[in-house]
Amino acid sequence: LLLQKTISKEKKQLVNLKQQQVQLNTLLQNLQAMEVVEKAKQARNPSKQIKDGYPDYRYEDNSPFFSRKLSKPIENGTVTVKFGEIRGGVPNNGILFDAKNSSIHAISNGRVIFSGVLPGFGQMVVVDNGDNYTSIYGGILPDVVKNQQLKANQVIGSSGTSANQPMGGVYFELRHLGKPVNPSKLQSF
């Protein structure tokens, strides 16, 4: 009986994790579609391409992403789940940190394309870092808003406590052209 309850609980967790992954993928696809439309508008009206001294879609003179000086996403945190580790039967697409009351930093210059709540991830921030890279920060208390320009290492929020971390910590994910990239390949990780 106990074994059946454990199996049932784990099956429910697996279904939940798969649903969360689908929700995140859908959100990112929608954000990318909105970016394509916005870039097309910018191309038709080039006088609006520079805002607050930053070109909207070019960061650090279009240098390749991996040659940039990148910052760690979290000031004080211990990695609890690594990229690719199986968690609840699903491979992890990012890194999960155990962190309480720590600052969360933008890993690179960029622009906030989403700041809000996604079920299963809690409050999150998605940043367009240019060069077709997107960084995702979940389970945080954001201090930034949509369309805000960011500098590398800029504080974008705090980890808060476990009460605002539905995944059991602060989640960080890096994507290139919508596909998860192992963040530990970056020089600063």
Side-chain angles (χ1 to χ4, degrees):
L1 184 64
L2 181 61
L3 181 60
Q4 287 176 335
K5 285 184 181 181
T6 302
I7 290 171
S8 177
K9 181 179 176 184
E10 287 182 4
K11 282 183 180 180
K12 286 179 185 178
Q13 287 177 329
L14 177 60
V15 168
N16 189 29
L17 286 170
K18 286 182 178 179
Q19 288 173 340
Q20 290 172 1
Q21 196 171 48
V22 167
Q23 288 176 326
L24 179 60
N25 287 336
T26 301
L27 171 67
L28 291 172
Q29 288 169 351
N30 290 340
L31 289 171
Q32 285 176 333
M34 291 177 0
E35 288 294 302
V36 168
V37 170
E38 187 61 31
K39 285 181 183 181
K41 286 180 186 177
Q42 292 290 332
R44 287 192 303 267
N45 191 354
S47 64
K48 292 185 178 181
Q49 283 188 341
I50 299 211
K51 181 180 178 185
D52 299 327
Y54 293 94
D56 280 345
Y57 301 103
R58 295 170 40 150
Y59 304 106
E60 298 189 56
D61 299 326
N62 278 336
S63 63
F65 187 78
F66 284 102
S67 68
R68 297 182 192 181
K69 182 177 176 177
L70 301 171
S71 300
K72 290 185 178 185
I74 190 156
E75 199 170 88
N76 299 312
T78 306
V79 175
T80 57
V81 181
K82 296 178 184 175
F83 180 86
E85 277 187 29
I86 304 299
R87 192 174 73 134
V90 177
N92 196 42
N93 287 334
I95 297 175
L96 189 65
F97 294 91
D98 179 23
K100 309 289 183 275
N101 299 314
S102 295
S103 296
I104 308 299
H105 299 266
I107 62 163
S108 177
N109 288 1
R111 181 173 60 86
V112 177
I113 58 175
F114 179 81
S115 181
V117 176
L118 184 65
F121 289 88
Q123 292 188 46
M124 62 184 302
V125 172
V126 179
V127 177
D128 175 357
N129 297 107
D131 296 327
N132 297 309
Y133 281 89
T134 306
S135 51
I136 302 159
Y137 312 79
I140 70 169
L141 300 173
D143 291 336
V144 295
V145 295
K146 185 176 177 181
N147 292 321
Q148 183 174 339
Q149 296 289 340
L150 303 174
K151 298 241 184 234
N153 203 35
Q154 179 177 338
V155 174
I156 62 170
S158 71
S159 61
T161 64
S162 57
N164 64 282
Q165 299 172 353
M167 294 183 73
V170 173
Y171 181 72
F172 174 76
E173 187 174 315
L174 182 64
R175 290 195 176 208
H176 180 252
L177 295 171
K179 294 187 179 190
V181 173
N182 186 350
S184 60
K185 291 181 179 178
L186 304 177
Q187 298 167 359
S188 61
F189 284 74

